Amino acid sequence: MKKLFSIENLTFIAIILGILSGIYLKDIVINLKLVGDAFLSLLKMITIPLIFASIFVSIAGLATIKDIKNMGLKAIIYYFSTTALAVFTGIIVVNFIDFHPVDGLNLEKGEFVHKEFTVEALIQSFIPSNIFHSLVEGKVLHVIIFAILFAVAVLKLQSEKKEIITRFFDGVNDSMLTIAKWIINLSPIGVFALVSYIVADKGIGSILSLWQYVLAVVVGLLIHAVMNLGLISFLIGRFNPFKYFTKVKEAILIAFSTSSSSATLPVSLEVAEEKAKIDKKTAGFVLPLGATINMDGTALYEAVAAMFIASLYGIELSITEQIIIFFTASLAAIGAAGIPSAGLVTMTLVFTAVGIPLEGIALILAVDRFLDMLRTSVNVWGDLIGAKIINRFVK
Ligand code: ASP
């Protein structure tokens, strides 16, 4: 009985009820924005201290610089290869679909606010010029870079100093995870409020007119999440992804409801360490970094969206252009922050590279939030699989 009413099951029920009441009780649930926002704020409240402390502790807890390189290299190889696989899957799926013109979509309609994303911006997003500013602004990538440098420097201190600092941040890390546990207990309520509000606010009618595009993204995401990542788990990780999913599903449900990998991070860390028993050092390094740079779902979606919009404009994409999409979509996903709609902004990189009009992005705005929920779930699932695989290799 207790199992039946576990937080995970209740959260799942909350999503279903949220969707239904967003459709049928629109006027009531539209008032729940406050509750959903409060839940999101609780998660975000601990994200920055948790990212800093977990990365720091995981690196400072490793014995040598060689260990860091070892784990870092494995993580990077995993991130890049799975992101590439995701984009490739998206491109293949689109090549099977013959997109036809969408009724009622006006190509001139430009509610999209330009905010171009460039390679320079990508590089800048890695280097903090004032770490306190970055902490306050919640610039996750900056915080990660600084935490890594700081931890490596601490590794070089004499043991007494090193001990004090490491223990301190270890304590910070553990207490943040305790708060995460408390917040997780609220997730059925928070998730219900978030999902019902989004459905009531956006209305799901838009999905119908863009069904071909939505279908392409959904099918691509499913293939990547179940087949690609599933096979990688079996073959390289030597574990059963379905069993693993049952352990970490709370994080996926939160990712779906919040559309934010960063806000989900406290939950991912908690389930990975407590339920899936992944070593704290591995999870503490692979998950925060993954939440920021490893976005399989986003990469896949960027490629599909670019190719869909190109076809609406009647642009025929050559193989070379599809290869450019492959690289730029991967880059754009790495550059996307773990927050809602981040992928939509970094998509300008892909569009500019192949010359698709940026206004085209406005055409898919209506369904973007729904697809964001799905791609974020795949992003977090990819991070969690990565943590489990890398855990096997560094042990
Ligand atoms: N919302 C996504 C995430 O947080 C990023 C994106 O694709 O917009 O993972």
Side-chain angles (χ1 to χ4, degrees):
M1 202 60 175
K2 202 171 159 227
K3 262 238 150 109
L4 204 64
F5 288 109
S6 65
I7 290 293
E8 293 94 340
N9 290 348
L10 289 177
T11 311
F12 183 69
I13 295 170
I15 290 182
I16 307 285
L17 290 179
I19 295 174
L20 291 177
S21 49
I23 300 173
Y24 297 109
L25 302 170
K26 196 172 160 190
D27 297 334
I28 303 176
V29 293
I30 200 92
N31 298 312
L32 288 181
K33 185 170 187 322
L34 209 81
V35 181
D37 284 350
F39 178 67
L40 254 183
S41 298
L42 283 172
L43 284 170
K44 287 192 200 154
M45 168 180 86
I46 53 172
T47 305
I48 289 289
L50 193 54
I51 288 175
F52 189 85
S54 71
I55 294 252
F56 178 84
V57 171
S58 94
I59 293 185
L62 294 170
T64 61
I65 307 279
K66 208 171 140 227
D67 292 334
I68 301 168
K69 281 197 191 141
N70 183 17
M71 177 142 83
L73 192 69
K74 287 190 171 111
I76 299 289
I77 292 176
Y78 172 83
Y79 298 151
F80 283 124
S81 46
T82 50
T83 301
L85 191 60
V87 189
F88 184 68
T89 307
I91 293 179
I92 296 291
V93 169
V94 172
N95 275 295
F96 273 103
I97 299 182
D98 181 21
F99 288 124
H100 50 62
V102 181
D103 297 340
L105 269 193
N106 175 3
L107 288 183
E108 264 78 63
K109 178 172 87 184
E111 6 165 351
F112 177 68
V113 204
H114 285 223
K115 215 195 217 171
E116 277 200 51
F117 182 78
T118 55
V119 178
E120 289 83 52
L122 181 65
I123 294 170
Q124 283 243 318
S125 71
F126 278 92
I127 309 167
S129 61
N130 177 341
I131 187 58
F132 291 102
H133 189 246
S134 302
L135 285 166
V136 172
E137 296 265 299
K139 297 232 159 52
V140 178
L141 213 46
H142 288 174
V143 175
I144 291 177
I145 301 283
F146 184 75
I148 294 176
L149 287 176
F150 185 41
V152 174
V154 166
L155 269 181
K156 298 195 172 289
L157 294 178
Q158 358 152 275
S159 58
E160 192 199 343
K161 287 182 187 166
K162 184 173 133 187
E163 178 97 341
I164 295 174
I165 302 191
T166 311
R167 277 187 178 214
F168 172 78
F169 282 110
D170 199 20
V172 172
N173 192 32
D174 287 353
S175 36
M176 289 305 129
L177 284 176
T178 305
I179 301 181
K181 243 181 253 167
W182 297 337
I183 303 172
I184 290 173
N185 288 333
L186 297 175
S187 50
I189 304 170
V191 159
F192 174 78
L194 284 170
V195 174
S196 61
Y197 173 76
I198 287 290
V199 175
D201 184 45
K202 304 277 175 204
I204 44 174
S206 50
I207 292 185
L208 294 177
S209 65
L210 287 165
W211 71 271
Q212 268 197 321
Y213 162 63
V214 173
L215 189 73
V217 177
V218 172
V219 168
L221 288 176
L222 269 175
I223 294 178
H224 185 69
V226 180
M227 280 170 50
N228 296 352
L229 292 178
L231 275 176
I232 292 178
S233 311
F234 272 121
L235 299 177
I236 301 176
R238 304 242 171 255
F239 66 89
N240 180 337
F242 299 102
K243 264 202 198 132
Y244 183 56
F245 180 81
T246 59
K247 292 197 177 121
V248 299
K249 62 177 184 278
E250 180 70 20
I252 311 291
L253 297 176
I254 298 289
F256 178 84
S257 320
T258 60
S259 294
S260 167
S261 308
S262 291
T264 309
L265 185 67
V267 185
S268 318
L269 279 168
E270 213 273 334
V271 291
E273 290 174 17
E274 300 290 321
K275 297 218 167 116
K277 303 288 174 223
I278 292 177
D279 185 59
K280 200 167 152 181
K281 280 184 219 126
T282 315
F285 180 78
V286 177
L287 291 175
L289 196 58
T292 323
I293 63 170
N294 182 44
M295 299 201 179
D296 298 1
T298 301
L300 186 149
Y301 137 88
E302 306 236 357
V304 175
M307 294 172 77
F308 170 68
I309 292 171
S311 85
L312 287 189
Y313 277 102
I315 303 172
E316 288 265 359
L317 294 166
S318 63
I319 294 288
T320 321
E321 278 158 340
Q322 296 197 23
I323 294 174
I324 296 178
I325 290 186
F326 173 84
F327 284 109
T328 49
S330 308
L331 264 185
I334 294 171
I339 55 174
S341 299
L344 200 64
V345 177
T346 63
M347 193 139 67
T348 55
L349 182 70
V350 186
F351 277 50
T352 330
V354 276
I356 305 168
L358 287 179
E359 292 71 29
I361 296 182
L363 303 175
I364 50 166
L365 277 183
V367 288
D368 201 66
R369 187 57 199 251
F370 295 115
L371 294 180
D372 202 356
M373 298 164 104
L374 297 171
R375 64 183 190 251
T376 309
S377 309
V378 176
N379 289 346
V380 170
W381 176 231
D383 297 338
L384 285 161
I385 300 254
K388 176 95 179 157
I389 289 180
I390 291 159
N391 195 44
R392 170 173 178 234
F393 287 105
V394 292
K395 253 199 244 158

